Each structure stands twice: as C-alpha cells, then as structure tokens.
Amino acid sequence: MPRVTLQTIADALGVSRSTVSNAYNKPDQLTQELRERILAEATKLGYAGPDAAARSLRSGKTGAIGLLFTESLPYAFSDPYAVGFLTGLAEVAERHGTSLLLVPVDTGLGGTPEADLERAVRQAVVDGFCLYCVDESHPAVDIIRARGLPMVATYPPKDPHLRSVGIDDEAAAFKAGEHLARLGHERIGVVMDRWFGIRPFPPLDLEGPTPIQQVIDLAPGEESTFRLRGYRKALPDADIMVTTAERNSRAAGAVAVEELIDQRCRSTAILAVSDVIAFGVIDALRQRGLTPGQDLSVVGFDDVPQAAEFGLTTIRQPMVDRGRMVGRMLLEPDTIAERQVRLPTELVVRTSTGPRPS
Amino acid sequence: MPRVTLQTIADALGVSRSTVSNAYNKPDQLTQELRERILAEATKLGYAGPDAAARSLRSGKTGAIGLLFTESLPYAFSDPYAVGFLTGLAEVAERHGTSLLLVPVDTGLGGTPEADLERAVRQAVVDGFCLYCVDESHPAVDIIRARGLPMVATYPPKDPHLRSVGIDDEAAAFKAGEHLARLGHERIGVVMDRWFGIRPFPPLDLEGPTPIQQVIDLAPGEESTFRLRGYRKALPDADIMVTTAERNSRAAGAVAVEELIDQRCRSTAILAVSDVIAFGVIDALRQRGLTPGQDLSVVGFDDVPQAAEFGLTTIRQPMVDRGRMVGRMLLEPDTIAERQVRLPTELVVRTSTGPRPS
DNA sequence: TTGAAAGCGCTACCAT
DNA sequence: ATGGTAGCGCTTTCAA
C-alpha cells in the first residue's frame, strides 16, 4: 500500500497540503474545527504527522542538538560531573522541545575507525553541537564548522570565535593552592588525569612523579595545565610533584596517588584535578590507615554531590548551570551576549584539609 | 554567498552530482584518484559533505536510533542499571556508526506539556526506537507505530507484535523468594518502586505496608506485579507486606523500608525490587545498628556492579547484554529470529542474607 | 483563511 | 566507471 503523506490527508478532505501542514505547525492559521477534522482524518488513515526528514530538509530546523561526547559512554555516564552537566543541558533542551543526539567521538585510543566518527558528525541531523570536553583541534570540529552549525564548547577554547562556557581554571586552582599555603603545606602532590581533553593527540604519560614545572612546559595552553599553573602560582616555593591517573575515575585516582604516598619523604597534601580522583586518593589513604585532613590533606576539584559525604575540601564549579548555559547559547543565542562565558568558582572547605602535621 | 552543495563541487570539477555523491557514499564506485580530487575540492570550497537532512529524506536512512527515556535524565543517568543498558546499546550503535537520540518522555508527573513530547517523537529523525522502561500504552508509542518505525521494548509487552528484550520477571523473583524460604523466613517485607514503568497512569501509592496479594490485584499484568507474583509463589504461606519507594533510588529505598523495620513485629527479611533500593535498605539497617544477613536478610534485584561491594544477595539480570540485544534487534533485525527475547537470570548469594534469626 | 507553485539537497535508478 | 533524470515529502511564499 502506498505511504500516507500530507497529500493523502489533503486529498481525503479536499483541502490543500499547506492547510494540512498548518494544522500541525501553525494551529492558529486555521479554524479550530478544520484543524480537528484534519487531525481526526490523519489518525483514521494512520498518518503520524509530517515526515521528520522532509520537514528538516525543507524548514532547516531539526529539533535536536548534538553532543560530541567521549566515545566511552559508560565512563561518561558514571562521571558525576558529566551527569550534572547533562542534566542542565537536558533541562533547557526539553523546554525547547529539543532532543539530544549523543555522538560519540574518538578519544584517540583507537576503537572506532576515524572515518566512521566523521561520518556520524556529518550525518547528524541537528541544529547545533555542544563539544563536551572535546578539543577544538579534533577533526570532528572542522566538519561542524564546515556545516555552518552553531557550536558551544565546554571550556575556554583558543579560537576566539568559538563560543564557550567555562571557568577560569587558573584562578580556581589558585584558590585551592592558596588554601594549602595558608595551612603551611610545602610538599605537595598533584594527581591529574592523562587526558588534556579528548583529542587526536597521544595522552600524557609521566614516568613516576614529575616536577610540576616540567609538566606545565609539556603542554602549554592546555586546560589542565592552566590548573597546574594556578597551583604553582599559589605555592611558588613549594615542592610540587605531579602524577597522572590513567583516567578520570576513583579507582585510577587511588592507583595514581600510591607513588606519592609511599615515597619516603611524602607530601603533606594532595591536589586532585577532579573530585572523582580525590575520592580515590581518600580511599588510598584510608586503606593505609591515614586520616584525610589530619595525616594528609586532600583537595578536589568540581564539588560533585558526593563531595560533601567525603568531607572533601574542593573547588566548586557550576555543573548544572554550565549545562544550562550551553543549552541557552545553542537554543536562545540572542539572550547571551558574551562569546566566552566564564562561570564563578569557589573554595569549599570541609574536613579533608588541615594544617601541615608537624 | 550561496550555499555550497553537491552541485557546486560537481560543477567545479566538471563531473556529475552522482559522482560526487558516490565519492562520499560508495567509495568503491569510482577511481581512488577521482575520489581524492573530489574530496580535496570539497575541502577547498568548505563543503562538509552531503546535507544530513536531504540525505535522510532521499535515502530513508538517518544513522540514528531514538531512545524513549525517562524525562528525568539526572535520575536516569544515576541509575547504574540504565547506565549498563546504555553501554551495551551504545556499543552496538557505535559499531554501526549510529548515534543515539535521547527523547525524554512524560513520566506522568507533569512538567512538559504532552503536546511537546509528542512533537519530539514525531520530529525525531531516527531509524527506529528503543522504549526504555516506557509502557506500550504511552501515546508516544502510537506515534512511533504510525510512523512505521521499528521499535524494541525493554520488557515483555502485552502486544505480541512488539519486539522486546526482557527477562522472566516472575521466575526471577521466584528464585529470590525461594532463597528466603530455604533460609526459613516467614515474615517478609517487599520494597517496590512507585512506578510500574513510565506511563500516563497515576503512580501507585500505598498507605503504609499492604498485604502482597492486595497489591498484585491492583495492577494485574504489569511488570512489577510479575515480580510480586514470583515472590508470593515461592513463599505461599509467608506473611508478606509491601511498601513503595517514592522512586527507584537509594535514598528512597531507605525511607520506604523504615515502616517495615520499625514495626513492632518486624520482618526477618526484605525483598527489594532493585539493587539501588536494596542499598537504601541496607543503609537504613546499618543506621539502626542492624547487620544485614544477620539481624535481617536483604535481597536485591539486578546485580549492578556495586552490589558486590555491599555483599548484596540479588538476582542477576543482564544489563549490558540487554542493551546489546536491543541494539542488534534494531540495527541487525535479521540476525535475531525471536520477537520477544528472554534473557537468563540467576540468583547470586552474598552476605546480605542468612538464616532467620531464632 | 486557504490554495498553487516552487524547490530544499540529495540519492536511486538506469543508461552509457 | 560515470552521468542524466526523477522525485523523496515537505514548507515557504505569494496570490486569491
């Protein structure tokens, strides 16, 4: 049997296609009564409404926004920060009747062939993209650019034309470092993750603890080194060693901190670049019978919901608001004047930090 | 400036549109050399590849599948079962170069107007839908049906034509009940959630503990009551009282079990319809100085990754495999013969259950 | 308030 | 291996 289209309904009722179209898209343009007759006929004939693809093609609108997301969805969903962000983004999207298209991108770890990923970005029927922790140098970003779609990044990009919602990473990290400085700490360990955002570059591999300045010099201009810079600035004379966690997870944080704890002259404080990593650090301490905030101070970054439960001193950065703001920049671009929005951060002191043990 | 299209590239190179199209979609159909010339010209002219909407319209393929998902994304993402399911689904999708479109649907709690939700389903440019814990009676499902798109549900539906991937809920619950029967328990509390799947019906509100048979009679044929039936069947002579948790979350589980624990003649065992709820039950026990498995036995349902850590006796049902199977039924339908796939379940005994205290 | 015409950009098909 | 033709289903524009 032939497919039921707008025309089918129009013919059945002896009206024009435009009128049927209006019944769905511009209810005010026709009488209530006609509209209902049309909708009833549609239901009767099993017509589900205007075809989505045809509508998108003709109108140029799709009713969806794309989210360029880490390839590893299970990891992404178990990251409380990502969940908070998505929550905010989804809230705004929903208000606009807009769906979210998750487009996984290559993390550089291989897996999906690059061609497939680019194909997914080309084929995505969306009105715009959010780059979630995906670096602007990723090839997928060039495709979005060529498609002429609006996009918003989740961190301050190098390209001044690219809109973004971020924080001042250096200033935020400075607050964390300053807090430790006030408490008298002079030997500090930093646990960062292996990734400077998702990109086609090889990840960072440090062989054991490395002096902070050396790491900063390795990747100038990257988001993660901005944090290192902030730490360094607040603690100019401290002995700061950096280790990397395999990924941004609790377990990896616990592993990564081991070499810092088990050193003979161990640090008196640990700065973790995320709360999730900090939780792992705390696990490792407890496992060794050490008490966070007494034997060793721990500072996180993010202030995810679980941080309170851990008594974790950390830097609060907006999660849900960041998602909301990205959503607004994509869906209500005219309401936001700035190209690069910086959200506020704040030091939250809990029990995981204390004065340097004497 | 005019938009760059296939035709632009074709004209610039003096070839036909079909050839340019083939360069993107059927690389084998033309010489390597011509293909490269075309791609190079495209890059030069800032052409991002065939327009996604036009391509979808013409070819009838979209490269995306829709996921009808609970409206409350934050809740969904913090549910370990959902995350596991998504992992499996995303894995298969990725293998097919397919993205995932999250379409939030009304949970019945209000919020988004119904019209918007239906619009989102109509406008979704997808090749098929997965109904994740969305009941087939939801209006969105009628739209999908009318659109003629394939869909797969995540539980056994009433409609025999609807494909699904589920488990035998009654048999699985029976195993849990049987385990308690063997341990000698005769007074049992059940904690279920308020929702029988997401649907346009009002949720279930019990006023305090209610005899199990009464709840079963309330909603015959629903997934959750299948589990109750299984419990009942395994413990025909036991005194089984049911309470409802406000939602499927740890905190809600802790609250819901209180009335069961604090009763004068308290139960000796608790059956929770999900692990997440069981974790809350365990929280509540510990808070009262009770030891799970000794003072009170607790059985969960799902066997999410955290269950081991809690020592939770539970029913294992495949999470990731369920997602994978749904993905395959949607993207490789011919490889799966059955319409209604039932996955195996298994009792996993850990330390949260023990003999009835004498 | 309704209708007729035009064409969005592409791919399937068939011909060469 | 490459090109020409037709038309996917719709919304927009403009006229009535």
Side-chain angles (χ1 to χ4, degrees):
Chain A
M1 75 184 183
R3 178 161 177 191
V4 180
T5 69
L6 259 191
Q7 188 73 69
T8 317
I9 312 298
D11 291 348
L13 259 47
V15 298
S16 81
R17 285 186 304 192
S18 332
T19 304
V20 180
S21 171
N22 286 338
Y24 284 96
N25 303 312
K26 299 178 181 163
D28 310 334
Q29 303 269 46
L30 61 174
T31 50
Q32 176 76 1
E33 185 258 328
L34 178 57
R35 183 173 131 87
E36 276 170 13
R37 247 178 52 224
I38 290 173
L39 261 32
E41 186 69 17
T43 306
K44 193 176 117 203
L45 297 178
Y47 178 64
D51 176 86
R55 177 196 169 78
S56 293
L57 172 59
R58 185 60 240 243
S59 69
K61 303 277 170 207
T62 72
I65 60 182
L67 189 60
L68 235 50
F69 216 52
T70 163
E71 191 178 7
S72 171
L73 254 28
Y75 156 64
F77 292 139
S78 50
D79 177 5
Y81 194 86
V83 169
F85 176 84
L86 270 173
T87 302
L89 180 58
E91 179 192 308
V92 175
E94 198 174 322
R95 213 168 54 216
H96 287 261
T98 297
S99 302
L100 245 40
L101 185 76
L102 301 186
V103 184
V105 293
D106 192 5
T107 56
L109 276 179
T112 318
E114 189 176 312
D116 282 2
L117 297 166
E118 300 191 2
R119 189 157 60 86
V121 176
R122 269 198 274 109
Q123 294 187 358
V125 183
V126 296
D127 296 322
F129 271 101
C130 164
L131 313 184
Y132 183 80
C133 295
V134 172
D135 190 84
E136 59 192 301
S137 68
H138 196 287
V141 176
D142 291 330
I143 295 176
I144 300 174
R145 210 172 260 131
R147 285 185 61 179
L149 291 174
M151 61 182 152
V152 177
T154 55
Y155 55 88
K158 272 150 261 164
D159 176 358
H161 295 298
L162 183 51
R163 301 193 77 169
S164 70
V165 179
I167 57 168
D168 185 334
D169 281 287
E170 184 173 326
F174 182 87
K175 295 175 197 169
E178 194 185 35
H179 174 64
L180 291 184
R182 278 208 210 91
L183 292 168
H185 295 276
E186 289 163 349
R187 299 183 63 83
I188 313 246
V190 170
V191 185
M192 69 185 299
D193 56 351
R194 245 177 118 215
W195 300 98
F196 292 149
I198 293 158
R199 63 188 48 206
F201 300 160
L204 178 72
D205 267 315
L206 305 182
E207 307 236 342
T210 308
I212 192 169
Q213 192 59 48
Q214 213 165 303
V215 184
I216 291 175
D217 294 342
L218 229 53
E222 298 298 341
E223 185 190 16
S224 294
T225 66
F226 286 150
R227 296 200 186 164
L228 298 188
R229 268 171 234 272
Y231 293 150
R232 158 52 88 211
K233 216 178 198 171
L235 295 151
D237 303 318
D239 172 13
I240 311 180
M241 301 297 276
V242 178
T243 58
T244 56
E246 182 63 24
R247 47 184 10 297
N248 182 34
S249 76
R250 185 166 168 180
V255 170
V257 80
E258 281 178 2
E259 49 192 21
L260 249 23
I261 301 179
D262 296 339
Q263 278 177 94
R264 193 148 25 167
C265 312
R266 68 172 185 238
S267 317
T268 63
I270 304 287
L271 289 158
V273 298
S274 78
D275 283 357
V276 172
I277 287 177
F279 298 156
V281 171
I282 289 175
D283 288 339
L285 296 189
R286 289 192 179 141
Q287 208 189 306
R288 285 163 179 73
L290 301 173
T291 304
Q294 264 170 258
D295 301 308
L296 209 72
S297 289
V298 181
V299 184
F301 202 111
D302 288 343
D303 198 32
V304 299
Q306 298 88 324
E309 194 174 304
F310 279 82
L312 181 67
T313 294
T314 190
I315 298 297
R316 172 174 302 161
Q317 62 165 323
M319 266 183 313
V320 181
D321 277 346
R322 196 166 182 166
R324 285 196 189 107
M325 183 59 83
V326 169
R328 291 182 53 201
M329 288 176 94
L330 246 14
L331 296 170
E332 314 158 3
D334 301 335
T335 67
I336 316 286
E338 310 91 307
R339 291 199 86 71
Q340 318 233 351
V341 174
R342 295 292 178 113
L343 265 19
T345 58
E346 177 190 356
L347 174 71
V348 179
V349 178
R350 297 199 182 93
T351 58
S352 70
T353 47
R356 171 170 59 96
S358 45
Chain B
M1 73 185 184
R3 179 159 174 192
V4 181
T5 70
L6 258 191
Q7 188 73 69
T8 317
I9 312 298
D11 291 349
L13 258 45
V15 298
S16 81
R17 285 186 304 192
S18 327
T19 303
V20 180
S21 172
N22 286 337
Y24 284 95
N25 303 312
K26 300 179 180 161
D28 309 334
Q29 302 270 48
L30 59 174
T31 49
Q32 176 74 0
E33 185 259 329
L34 177 57
R35 183 173 131 87
E36 276 170 11
R37 245 177 56 223
I38 290 173
L39 262 33
E41 187 70 16
T43 306
K44 193 176 117 202
L45 297 178
Y47 178 64
D51 177 85
R55 177 197 170 77
S56 294
L57 172 60
R58 184 59 241 243
S59 69
K61 304 275 169 208
T62 72
I65 60 183
L67 189 60
L68 236 50
F69 215 52
T70 163
E71 192 177 11
S72 173
L73 254 26
Y75 156 64
F77 292 140
S78 50
D79 177 4
Y81 194 85
V83 170
F85 176 84
L86 271 173
T87 302
L89 180 57
E91 178 191 309
V92 175
E94 199 175 322
R95 212 168 53 215
H96 287 260
T98 296
S99 302
L100 245 41
L101 186 75
L102 301 185
V103 184
V105 293
D106 193 4
T107 56
L109 276 178
T112 317
E114 190 176 310
D116 282 3
L117 296 167
E118 300 191 3
R119 190 158 58 86
V121 176
R122 268 199 276 108
Q123 294 187 0
V125 182
V126 296
D127 296 322
F129 272 101
C130 164
L131 313 184
Y132 183 81
C133 293
V134 172
D135 190 84
E136 59 192 302
S137 68
H138 196 287
V141 176
D142 291 330
I143 296 176
I144 301 174
R145 211 173 259 129
R147 285 185 61 179
L149 291 174
M151 61 184 152
V152 177
T154 55
Y155 55 87
K158 270 150 264 165
D159 175 358
H161 295 297
L162 183 51
R163 302 194 77 171
S164 70
V165 179
I167 58 168
D168 184 334
D169 281 286
E170 185 173 325
F174 182 87
K175 294 175 198 170
E178 194 185 32
H179 174 64
L180 291 184
R182 277 209 211 92
L183 293 168
H185 294 275
E186 289 163 348
R187 299 184 62 84
I188 312 243
V190 170
V191 185
M192 67 185 300
D193 55 352
R194 245 177 116 213
W195 300 97
F196 292 149
I198 294 157
R199 63 190 48 205
F201 299 161
L204 178 71
D205 267 315
L206 304 182
E207 308 235 343
T210 309
I212 191 167
Q213 193 57 48
Q214 211 166 304
V215 184
I216 290 175
D217 294 342
L218 229 54
E222 299 297 340
E223 184 188 18
S224 293
T225 67
F226 285 152
R227 296 199 186 165
L228 298 187
R229 266 171 234 273
Y231 293 151
R232 160 51 89 209
K233 217 179 202 172
L235 295 151
D237 304 318
D239 172 12
I240 311 181
M241 300 298 277
V242 178
T243 57
T244 55
E246 182 62 25
R247 44 181 20 291
N248 182 33
S249 74
R250 184 166 169 179
V255 170
V257 80
E258 282 177 2
E259 47 190 23
L260 247 25
I261 300 179
D262 297 340
Q263 278 176 94
R264 197 159 11 179
C265 312
R266 69 170 184 241
S267 318
T268 63
I270 305 288
L271 288 159
V273 297
S274 77
D275 283 356
V276 172
I277 288 177
F279 298 156
V281 170
I282 289 175
D283 289 340
L285 295 190
R286 288 193 178 139
Q287 207 189 306
R288 285 162 178 74
L290 300 173
T291 305
Q294 266 170 256
D295 302 308
L296 209 72
S297 288
V298 181
V299 185
F301 202 109
D302 288 343
D303 197 32
V304 300
Q306 298 89 325
E309 198 175 302
F310 278 81
L312 182 67
T313 293
T314 190
I315 299 296
R316 173 175 301 161
Q317 63 165 323
M319 268 184 311
V320 180
D321 277 345
R322 196 165 181 168
R324 286 195 190 107
M325 184 59 82
V326 169
R328 291 183 53 201
M329 287 176 94
L330 246 14
L331 296 170
E332 314 158 2
D334 301 336
T335 67
I336 316 285
E338 310 91 307
R339 293 199 85 72
Q340 317 234 354
V341 174
R342 296 291 177 116
L343 265 18
T345 58
E346 176 190 358
L347 174 70
V348 180
V349 178
R350 297 201 181 91
T351 59
S352 71
T353 46
R356 172 169 59 94
S358 43

